[in-house]
Amino acid sequence: MSGGGRAPSRQELIRRRRRTGFVGRRSELATFTEVLRQTPEDAAQFLFHVHGPGGVGKSTLVRQMETAAREAQAVTGYVDESVTDPVEAMKSLAGQFAQQGAQLKALERLLTTYQQRRHEADAGVVEGGPAPSPGSVIASRVGLVGLGLIPGVGAFTGALDANQVAAGAEQLKGVLSARLRSHEDVQLVLSPVRALAPVFLQELAEIAQRRSWVVLFFDTYERTGPVLDSWLRDVLVSDRYGELPANVLVVLAGQGRLDAQCWGDWLDLVADLPLDVFTETEARQLLAAKGVTDEHVIEVVLRLSGRLPLLVSTLAESQPAEAAEVGDPSGTAVERFLKWVTLPERRAAALACALPQELDEDVYRAAVEDEEARELFGWLRSMPFVIDRAGRCHYHEVVRTAMLRLQRQRSPVRWRQQHARLAEAFAGWRTRLACDAVGLNERWRDERWCGYRLQETYHRLCEDPDRALPLALRELLDAWSHSTATLRRWVQMLARAGQDTDDRGIREWSDRLVAAMAEPEPGIAAMTLLLSGPALDRPGRAVAHRLRGIGHHGAARHDSALADFERAVALDPDQPQALHSRARALIVGKRYEEALADLDRAVELDPGFSAAFATRGDTRRLTARHQEALADLDRAIELDPGHTWAVGSRGRTYLELGRYEEALAEFDRAVELDPGYVWAVGSRAEALRELGRHDEALAGFDRAVELDPEYTWALGSRGRVHWESGRTAEALADLDRALELDPGYVWALASRGRIHRELGRYDDALVAYDRAVELDPDSPWVVPLRALVHQELGHLREALTDLDRAVALDPGSAGALGARADIHRLLGHHQEVLADHDRAVQLDPAAWRVAARGLTYRLLGRYPEALADLDRAIEADPGTGRFHQEKAVVLHALGLPGLDACLARAVEILGQGRDVEDLGALVLAHTLAPDPAGAARALESFLRAGPSAGRIAALRIDLATLVDVIPSAAEPVAVLRRRLLDALPPEVRATPS
């Protein structure tokens, strides 16, 4: 050999020979290869569509195109009906690119993360306990429902209300934020295509910079088009996911034309390559290339094949030299395919291997019984009707359909025996997998297990449709529990079995299920269909109701969800999962006792049901049974030490008990288990805030917001830390951002109202509280906050109305009762004041409540009882000057000794403070002394502190009550009260006080 060029390898020579032996379709192939020889800038065509009926050679042409692309040093990827959605398509392409030294590393990492996060979300949303954040789990069609993470949402027909979908998606995002590692993880689970496609395109661009061309082939597009169309169109012609490199070519191959609704505006970009049967010249060229030259044989082949390329190639494969039995019009289609395969073992092997849906060498050996034919897999792979992709093969549909029909009709008994043999083979492979011995969820997450189970079920249906169909329909429930993609595969398998067996029962079910899969919410449509007749046994119907109930629960259709869960429990009362699901629906309705009864029964039936223990623990926390809650959460964690949600919930329980160090330890553990567990990160920061470690708390909330920039609770809580640290602008900025993300976030509105109130911006505070009450009119904690603003503004009647409402909403709220008592006091309703204080002290005997009741006794002239309460308050809290000041008033009224010492102590303590209330009490103490000059000085300090109108009015009233005890103080009190009246806003001066 001369020159420096490398000699071709034997494999290259073989490829060249095979390519030169490819006849027909030369113009179509030339159209494609001409583009490969051009620069991307010069190439006018980038999207080819090969289409035509089965058997015309579409797949063969695609293989030739792929070979040509590889020889032009292009990176290629091939997708067929084995994928069920864009995520699987990108995963398949990434694997093929890696084999060619062009890894999509970032995409592969993100795909791995997606699978892990989907598993975590599945565990947390579908099977786990209630989410740690408020609200129910809502899923929109475009989120988890579309992926099958949460079994479907929506009615059997029609779409969800757009507002409900939008609101539901936001609530679901919050729930997933509590479960997953970061904002990016939440988006990945909610919208995987939106998250994955930009990474796919970015890495595709990087590969395209290093290679002349990248070519993507999408075969059997008549099957994959419905699930890939929109994604592929957006990738190719829009910038939704990014820009497509100019040197990327795409070839679609299918039986029909492209969907005009999807591609209509872009059909001018498509290079149309329609295929039909061979012309006689093309058929003769192929026969000549195969060495078939005898005119009689050529005539037989042309007549038997109808010039269908697949048949021409198959009949020519053995290079027949004579036309034995030429022209037999009764020859079957199978005889056409195998006409010159004369060895019986080869014919038997070819027929037997038509039964499996796909082949590798193991399946081949299971299908072929003849020992002499066990080593003929290589021969079978060389047959023209066998499509080979990376060692896995399947028959061309035209050939397989004919061979199956022949065998089914020729010997039904033999047909059943062969399918039984294959079913047993797949069952054996399945049971040898380690995951077969563990839980149902783990098995369905294993791709190999699912693949074996799918084929096993298919062959059982072919063996005995009547017996296998009920089991196959029941299996659809487990498939949907895994994902909609898995459910879709099972429905496709059922449709294939109906076609291959020609069984009426399977065909009818598969037709209806295929129609259900075209619904907007395919899973729930399939469940509704299965529940509409007697297809499922009693336990199966229970599971179907539970799954559909989860869908309703996810869509916030809680009445419908509960109805399904009720039915599931009625059908199978001893099913722990159904009881657990019903409990979760009851919790949403705040029917805690009924929920606890279900959970008690669930853990009784399954003492190892960790999720039920966790849910019961959190329910007990919600009902303030904290010790019982801790016991349940301890048990859940004992059963599953890695149950991060249970660990976090235990931390929340400690937090509510005020056991902040223990809470912090639990949140530390949760974050250690999952550093990206954003709810635990935020809750840890909350524990740090309660411990007064504000800088660390702020860093914790910063981290939570970094993980999820749209985590409204973390934003609001960070705002509170800013406020407590004196950073007012930052506090309001965080609360404003939280409300921008969620305008209905009542807590953030109330927090903004509190900040405005404490800054003296009472009108702004009232606007915030008005909106909060409008959003949640039955909130027993927001209404009293608005009442406080009304009180500060001197709107005592409005304050009383709010507090009457608050007490009606929560009669056990000592805070609301105490606040109402204060308003009654200012309005002079002393008997009502005493009744409210008595009840408040019974509920919460805090020192300041006891002292407030003592003041009421004093106003009623019941001085001994007043003195007893004030002594009790001072004993509990001797450092509060107001208690000493009020006791001095009572001592003066009773003429008892100790007045001077009590007043001196009051002035000493109150004089050290700068709190508005302390300064007001100091005015009272100096008035009582009597020390008019000291009272005047204290009053000016009080006014300089910027008291609200309500505070000013309250001090005027308190001064007036002193006159009843010290008549000689009437004149100085009148001077002080006039000074206070002048400080009031004009609109408040008319208020009786």
Side-chain angles (χ1 to χ4, degrees):
M1 172 179 173
S2 62
R6 181 179 65 84
S9 66
R10 172 54 58 190
Q11 287 81 0
E12 288 173 339
L13 291 172
I14 291 172
R15 284 195 296 269
R16 290 179 187 177
R17 179 180 175 186
R18 286 191 170 177
R19 190 171 70 255
T20 56
F22 176 69
V23 298
R25 314 310 186 200
R26 291 188 180 277
S27 64
E28 291 85 356
L29 184 59
T31 299
F32 174 75
T33 55
E34 177 62 26
V35 174
L36 293 175
R37 288 191 288 269
Q38 299 174 6
T39 65
E41 293 78 8
D42 295 333
Q45 297 166 328
F46 74 100
L47 176 58
F48 299 87
H49 183 217
V50 179
H51 59 91
V56 296
K58 298 183 297 296
S59 295
T60 301
L61 178 58
V62 165
R63 289 197 297 273
Q64 290 296 322
M65 288 176 165
E66 186 176 20
T67 299
R70 290 282 184 95
E71 292 185 352
Q73 304 303 309
V75 176
T76 67
Y78 175 91
V79 172
D80 61 13
E81 72 271 19
S82 62
V83 306
T84 60
D85 59 36
V87 174
E88 290 190 355
M90 287 184 277
K91 180 180 179 181
S92 175
L93 291 170
Q96 295 173 59
F97 280 23
Q99 293 174 358
Q100 300 168 64
Q103 276 190 290
L104 304 177
K105 293 182 180 180
L107 179 65
E108 289 176 340
R109 286 194 298 269
L110 197 55
L111 282 163
T112 300
T113 301
Y114 166 62
Q115 295 295 336
Q116 293 170 345
R117 298 299 173 265
R118 234 196 65 174
H119 169 49
E120 293 169 12
D122 179 48
V125 176
V126 179
E127 294 298 338
S133 56
S136 60
V137 180
I138 312 279
S140 71
R141 278 189 320 212
V142 297
L144 298 187
V145 178
L147 297 171
L149 174 60
I150 294 179
V153 171
F156 177 61
T157 57
L160 289 173
D161 175 77
N163 292 329
Q164 183 185 16
V165 170
E170 286 303 311
Q171 291 189 42
L172 177 59
K173 188 186 299 180
V175 170
L176 291 180
S177 294
R179 185 73 192 175
L180 301 178
R181 298 173 185 266
S182 68
H183 172 67
E184 289 74 18
D185 286 347
V186 173
Q187 294 304 317
L188 180 61
V189 170
L190 281 172
S191 305
V193 174
R194 189 179 303 170
L196 291 163
V199 179
F200 170 65
L201 277 176
Q202 182 178 350
E203 292 200 297
L204 198 65
E206 293 172 3
I207 291 171
Q209 288 179 351
R210 303 191 299 269
R211 298 294 185 96
S212 57
W213 291 99
V214 177
V215 189
L216 308 179
F217 297 93
F218 294 85
D219 202 359
T220 58
Y221 202 69
E222 72 275 6
R223 296 185 181 180
T224 58
V227 292
L228 298 183
D229 260 344
S230 296
W231 164 73
L232 191 55
R233 178 204 60 203
D234 289 341
V235 164
L236 296 181
V237 299
S238 80
D239 57 2
R240 180 177 184 184
Y241 304 122
E243 295 184 345
L244 182 75
N247 58 334
V248 173
L249 301 181
V250 175
V251 178
L252 311 178
Q255 292 189 8
R257 293 187 175 275
L258 293 178
D259 180 7
Q261 187 173 359
C262 178
W263 294 94
D265 293 338
W266 310 101
L267 290 177
D268 59 311
L269 302 177
V270 179
D272 211 35
L273 299 178
L275 300 186
D276 205 341
V277 298
F278 276 159
T279 65
E280 184 172 334
T281 299
E282 288 175 325
R284 286 179 176 274
Q285 286 176 346
L286 176 58
L287 291 172
K290 296 287 187 180
V292 179
T293 57
D294 183 274
E295 186 59 31
H296 293 294
V297 173
I298 291 172
E299 289 179 1
V300 169
V301 171
L302 293 176
R303 185 171 71 247
L304 289 176
S305 68
R307 300 199 307 277
L308 191 67
L310 176 66
L311 297 184
V312 173
S313 179
T314 301
L315 294 173
E317 187 63 32
S318 297
Q319 299 179 347
E322 57 185 36
E325 302 178 6
V326 171
D328 181 2
S330 65
T332 66
V334 174
E335 286 301 317
R336 299 178 188 178
F337 298 132
L338 302 178
K339 189 166 184 64
W340 284 285
V341 179
T342 57
L343 294 176
E345 63 272 18
R346 292 193 173 191
R347 292 175 66 90
L351 287 168
C353 288
L355 272 64
Q357 295 189 89
E358 60 179 27
L359 289 165
D360 59 18
E361 193 160 1
D362 291 335
V363 178
Y364 174 89
R365 290 177 181 275
V368 175
E369 297 179 66
D370 191 329
E371 287 297 328
E372 295 184 17
R374 300 297 289 276
E375 305 302 324
L376 293 175
F377 182 57
W379 163 80
L380 184 67
R381 287 175 62 187
S382 70
M383 295 298 287
F385 54 78
V386 176
I387 300 169
D388 189 349
R389 298 296 307 181
R392 301 193 67 82
C393 313
H394 62 272
Y395 279 26
H396 193 288
E397 187 171 350
V398 172
V399 178
R400 183 171 185 267
T401 299
M403 288 187 175
L404 290 177
R405 186 182 301 113
L406 171 69
Q407 294 180 87
R408 189 180 71 244
Q409 294 174 349
R410 178 183 291 172
S411 176
V413 171
R414 175 70 175 156
W415 166 271
R416 288 193 294 271
Q417 290 172 344
Q418 288 176 293
H419 280 292
R421 176 188 175 95
L422 285 164
E424 290 300 322
F426 282 107
W429 296 325
R430 171 180 57 79
T431 55
R432 282 195 288 272
L433 294 175
C435 65
D436 193 68
V438 295
L440 182 68
N441 289 337
E442 286 75 9
R443 293 199 296 268
W444 281 86
R445 280 195 290 270
D446 188 289
E447 291 185 8
R448 292 179 302 162
W449 189 95
C450 281
Y452 290 147
R453 185 66 176 179
L454 180 82
Q455 301 303 335
E456 177 189 355
T457 302
Y458 166 79
H459 290 295
R460 294 295 184 203
L461 286 164
C462 292
E463 173 198 0
D464 189 343
D466 291 339
R467 182 165 61 91
L469 181 58
L471 299 175
L473 294 175
R474 172 62 180 80
E475 212 161 58
L476 293 172
L477 309 183
D478 296 332
W480 189 38
S481 292
H482 178 243
S483 73
T484 297
T486 304
L487 174 62
R488 197 179 301 278
R489 282 197 188 90
W490 247 254
V491 171
Q492 290 171 351
M493 175 272 293
L494 200 67
R496 185 75 213 205
Q499 175 184 324
D500 295 344
T501 60
D502 197 30
D503 180 82
R504 180 179 177 182
I506 300 177
R507 283 201 324 271
E508 288 179 350
W509 266 110
S510 64
D511 288 347
R512 294 162 69 191
L513 284 164
V514 167
M517 297 309 292
E519 290 284 337
E521 295 79 42
I524 205 168
M527 292 304 104
T528 302
L529 177 60
L530 290 169
L531 287 167
S532 66
L536 300 173
D537 60 11
R538 188 180 182 91
R541 293 181 69 80
V543 173
H545 275 292
R546 183 174 70 85
L547 291 174
R548 192 174 67 176
I550 290 172
H552 288 310
H553 181 75
R557 293 190 298 272
H558 300 303
D559 290 342
S560 299
L562 187 58
D564 263 330
F565 294 144
E566 296 276 14
R567 186 60 182 149
V569 173
L571 289 165
D572 193 352
D574 294 332
Q575 172 51 250
Q577 293 285 359
L579 289 161
H580 182 234
S581 294
R582 184 170 71 176
R584 291 176 59 223
L586 291 166
I587 290 166
V588 171
K590 298 184 179 181
R591 296 163 62 179
Y592 298 124
E593 296 306 319
E594 295 168 83
L596 286 169
D598 275 350
L599 293 165
D600 288 344
R601 178 63 177 152
V603 298
E604 178 187 343
L605 290 165
D606 183 0
F609 195 175
S610 61
F613 276 107
T615 303
R616 188 172 71 174
D618 205 65
T619 307
R620 285 174 165 168
R621 177 185 68 80
L622 291 170
T623 54
R625 304 174 196 180
H626 291 99
Q627 296 306 320
E628 296 172 82
L630 287 174
D632 273 339
L633 293 166
D634 287 346
R635 179 59 179 153
I637 295 166
E638 179 185 346
L639 290 166
D640 182 3
H643 198 312
T644 53
W645 179 80
V647 174
S649 186
R650 187 163 66 180
R652 174 58 63 178
T653 307
Y654 283 136
L655 199 61
E656 292 176 6
L657 285 169
R659 294 161 63 176
Y660 302 126
E661 293 288 356
E662 291 166 282
L664 182 60
E666 291 300 307
F667 293 132
D668 281 343
R669 182 181 173 193
V671 173
E672 181 182 353
L673 286 168
D674 185 351
Y677 188 7
V678 65
W679 178 78
V681 172
S683 296
R684 180 179 179 276
E686 179 68 8
L688 288 165
R689 187 194 70 80
E690 292 286 3
L691 288 167
R693 295 158 62 177
H694 286 82
D695 289 342
E696 294 172 84
L698 192 60
F701 285 124
D702 285 345
R703 175 59 179 156
V705 174
E706 178 187 344
L707 289 169
D708 183 359
E710 297 183 4
Y711 193 3
T712 54
W713 176 78
L715 284 163
S717 298
R718 186 173 70 177
R720 177 165 57 180
V721 175
H722 279 310
W723 169 245
E724 292 172 352
S725 302
R727 293 184 285 269
T728 304
E730 292 89 336
L732 288 172
D734 273 342
L735 292 169
D736 288 346
R737 175 59 180 155
L739 288 165
E740 179 185 335
L741 291 167
D742 181 5
Y745 191 4
V746 172
W747 183 88
L749 280 164
S751 295
R752 188 162 65 177
R754 176 191 172 189
I755 291 175
H756 285 310
R757 179 179 65 80
E758 295 190 13
L759 289 172
R761 304 170 184 168
Y762 300 113
D763 290 336
D764 291 336
L766 197 58
V767 169
Y769 285 132
D770 282 345
R771 177 60 179 153
V773 172
E774 179 186 347
L775 288 167
D776 190 0
D778 294 332
S779 170
W781 63 274
V782 176
V783 173
L785 293 174
R786 186 173 69 175
L788 187 58
V789 177
H790 281 307
Q791 180 180 347
E792 301 280 14
L793 288 169
H795 305 162
L796 300 182
R797 297 294 179 186
E798 291 86 342
L800 184 61
T801 299
D802 271 349
L803 289 166
D804 284 342
R805 175 66 176 153
V807 172
L809 289 167
D810 185 3
S813 172
L817 286 161
R820 188 172 69 174
D822 196 36
I823 299 300
H824 279 309
R825 180 178 67 82
L826 294 173
L827 289 170
H829 306 160
H830 299 313
Q831 293 300 328
E832 291 87 344
V833 175
L834 187 59
D836 278 347
H837 276 316
D838 277 341
R839 178 63 180 147
V841 169
Q842 288 176 2
L843 292 166
D844 179 14
W848 67 271
R849 295 193 194 283
V850 175
R853 186 175 65 178
L855 171 61
T856 305
Y857 280 131
R858 192 260 290 177
L859 294 173
L860 290 170
R862 296 165 61 174
Y863 298 119
E865 293 159 289
L867 186 59
D869 269 352
L870 289 164
D871 282 340
R872 179 180 168 188
I874 291 171
E875 181 181 357
D877 184 3
T880 298
R882 278 164 284 179
F883 298 169
H884 293 280
Q885 173 261 311
E886 183 57 33
K887 180 181 177 182
V889 176
V890 176
L891 289 173
H892 191 291
L894 291 172
L896 294 176
L899 171 62
D900 291 342
C902 190
L903 270 176
R905 181 62 176 151
V907 170
E908 177 189 359
I909 296 172
L910 294 170
Q912 296 173 359
R914 289 294 179 265
D915 178 83
V916 170
E917 288 191 24
D918 282 348
L919 291 170
L922 187 60
V923 173
L924 297 172
H926 280 301
T927 302
L928 184 63
D931 179 7
R937 286 194 302 272
L939 180 60
E940 294 308 315
S941 296
F942 170 80
L943 293 173
R944 282 196 299 272
S948 67
R951 298 273 188 191
I952 295 172
L955 182 55
R956 293 188 76 242
I957 293 170
D958 290 338
L959 283 166
T961 65
L962 289 183
V963 177
D964 295 333
V965 179
I966 316 169
S968 62
E971 186 175 342
V973 164
V975 172
L976 295 170
R977 293 184 79 239
R978 281 196 298 272
R979 176 75 179 93
L980 287 168
L981 183 63
D982 291 341
L984 281 171
E987 67 272 13
V988 182
R989 291 178 189 171
T991 303
S993 53

mmCIF file of all heavy atoms in Angstrom, residues 306-318:
data_model
loop_
_atom_site.group_PDB
_atom_site.id
_atom_site.type_symbol
_atom_site.label_atom_id
_atom_site.label_comp_id
_atom_site.label_asym_id
_atom_site.label_seq_id
_atom_site.Cartn_x
_atom_site.Cartn_y
_atom_site.Cartn_z
ATOM 1 N N GLY A 306 -45.884 -8.277 -4.239
ATOM 2 C CA GLY A 306 -46.576 -7.037 -4.560
ATOM 3 C C GLY A 306 -45.611 -5.863 -4.608
ATOM 4 O O GLY A 306 -46.024 -4.721 -4.460
ATOM 5 N N ARG A 307 -44.326 -6.152 -4.789
ATOM 6 C CA ARG A 307 -43.225 -5.191 -4.831
ATOM 7 C C ARG A 307 -43.078 -4.430 -3.504
ATOM 8 O O ARG A 307 -42.466 -3.371 -3.448
ATOM 9 C CB ARG A 307 -43.376 -4.190 -5.979
ATOM 10 C CG ARG A 307 -43.423 -4.832 -7.369
ATOM 11 C CD ARG A 307 -43.101 -3.836 -8.471
ATOM 12 N NE ARG A 307 -43.885 -2.635 -8.453
ATOM 13 C CZ ARG A 307 -45.100 -2.502 -8.973
ATOM 14 N NH1 ARG A 307 -45.667 -3.528 -9.597
ATOM 15 N NH2 ARG A 307 -45.744 -1.341 -8.901
ATOM 16 N N LEU A 308 -43.653 -4.993 -2.426
ATOM 17 C CA LEU A 308 -43.431 -4.420 -1.102
ATOM 18 C C LEU A 308 -41.969 -4.673 -0.738
ATOM 19 O O LEU A 308 -41.523 -5.819 -0.699
ATOM 20 C CB LEU A 308 -44.362 -5.079 -0.069
ATOM 21 C CG LEU A 308 -44.434 -4.412 1.311
ATOM 22 C CD1 LEU A 308 -45.078 -3.041 1.224
ATOM 23 C CD2 LEU A 308 -45.200 -5.299 2.278
ATOM 24 N N PRO A 309 -41.197 -3.626 -0.472
ATOM 25 C CA PRO A 309 -39.753 -3.792 -0.280
ATOM 26 C C PRO A 309 -39.386 -4.862 0.738
ATOM 27 O O PRO A 309 -38.444 -5.611 0.544
ATOM 28 C CB PRO A 309 -39.301 -2.403 0.170
ATOM 29 C CG PRO A 309 -40.251 -1.474 -0.503
ATOM 30 C CD PRO A 309 -41.578 -2.188 -0.480
ATOM 31 N N LEU A 310 -40.100 -4.912 1.882
ATOM 32 C CA LEU A 310 -39.777 -5.907 2.895
ATOM 33 C C LEU A 310 -39.895 -7.318 2.333
ATOM 34 O O LEU A 310 -39.035 -8.173 2.549
ATOM 35 C CB LEU A 310 -40.711 -5.736 4.098
ATOM 36 C CG LEU A 310 -40.556 -6.783 5.203
ATOM 37 C CD1 LEU A 310 -39.201 -6.663 5.861
ATOM 38 C CD2 LEU A 310 -41.665 -6.642 6.235
ATOM 39 N N LEU A 311 -40.985 -7.573 1.567
ATOM 40 C CA LEU A 311 -41.172 -8.919 1.019
ATOM 41 C C LEU A 311 -40.175 -9.209 -0.088
ATOM 42 O O LEU A 311 -39.661 -10.327 -0.202
ATOM 43 C CB LEU A 311 -42.607 -9.073 0.504
ATOM 44 C CG LEU A 311 -43.721 -8.947 1.559
ATOM 45 C CD1 LEU A 311 -45.078 -9.211 0.913
ATOM 46 C CD2 LEU A 311 -43.489 -9.922 2.697
ATOM 47 N N VAL A 312 -39.891 -8.236 -0.922
ATOM 48 C CA VAL A 312 -38.901 -8.458 -1.981
ATOM 49 C C VAL A 312 -37.570 -8.854 -1.358
ATOM 50 O O VAL A 312 -36.923 -9.822 -1.773
ATOM 51 C CB VAL A 312 -38.731 -7.186 -2.841
ATOM 52 C CG1 VAL A 312 -37.585 -7.374 -3.833
ATOM 53 C CG2 VAL A 312 -40.021 -6.857 -3.584
ATOM 54 N N SER A 313 -37.154 -8.121 -0.330
ATOM 55 C CA SER A 313 -35.873 -8.408 0.306
ATOM 56 C C SER A 313 -35.884 -9.763 0.971
ATOM 57 O O SER A 313 -34.924 -10.529 0.871
ATOM 58 C CB SER A 313 -35.566 -7.314 1.330
ATOM 59 O OG SER A 313 -34.360 -7.577 1.979
ATOM 60 N N THR A 314 -36.984 -10.097 1.662
ATOM 61 C CA THR A 314 -37.042 -11.375 2.367
ATOM 62 C C THR A 314 -37.031 -12.542 1.389
ATOM 63 O O THR A 314 -36.300 -13.528 1.567
ATOM 64 C CB THR A 314 -38.313 -11.435 3.238
ATOM 65 O OG1 THR A 314 -38.279 -10.356 4.175
ATOM 66 C CG2 THR A 314 -38.414 -12.748 3.970
ATOM 67 N N LEU A 315 -37.827 -12.446 0.317
ATOM 68 C CA LEU A 315 -37.890 -13.542 -0.647
ATOM 69 C C LEU A 315 -36.577 -13.704 -1.410
ATOM 70 O O LEU A 315 -36.246 -14.804 -1.858
ATOM 71 C CB LEU A 315 -39.040 -13.303 -1.635
ATOM 72 C CG LEU A 315 -40.446 -13.363 -1.008
ATOM 73 C CD1 LEU A 315 -41.491 -12.945 -2.036
ATOM 74 C CD2 LEU A 315 -40.755 -14.766 -0.506
ATOM 75 N N ALA A 316 -35.821 -12.632 -1.535
ATOM 76 C CA ALA A 316 -34.567 -12.709 -2.286
ATOM 77 C C ALA A 316 -33.393 -13.140 -1.422
ATOM 78 O O ALA A 316 -32.320 -13.447 -1.959
ATOM 79 C CB ALA A 316 -34.255 -11.353 -2.909
ATOM 80 N N GLU A 317 -33.591 -13.200 -0.106
ATOM 81 C CA GLU A 317 -32.459 -13.381 0.793
ATOM 82 C C GLU A 317 -31.690 -14.677 0.534
ATOM 83 O O GLU A 317 -30.473 -14.716 0.611
ATOM 84 C CB GLU A 317 -32.943 -13.351 2.256
ATOM 85 C CG GLU A 317 -31.832 -13.369 3.284
ATOM 86 C CD GLU A 317 -30.942 -12.149 3.184
ATOM 87 O OE1 GLU A 317 -31.445 -11.070 2.811
ATOM 88 O OE2 GLU A 317 -29.741 -12.275 3.478
ATOM 89 N N SER A 318 -32.427 -15.768 0.183
ATOM 90 C CA SER A 318 -31.757 -17.058 -0.017
ATOM 91 C C SER A 318 -31.275 -17.266 -1.445
ATOM 92 O O SER A 318 -30.839 -18.369 -1.804
ATOM 93 C CB SER A 318 -32.698 -18.212 0.371
ATOM 94 O OG SER A 318 -33.005 -18.141 1.746
#
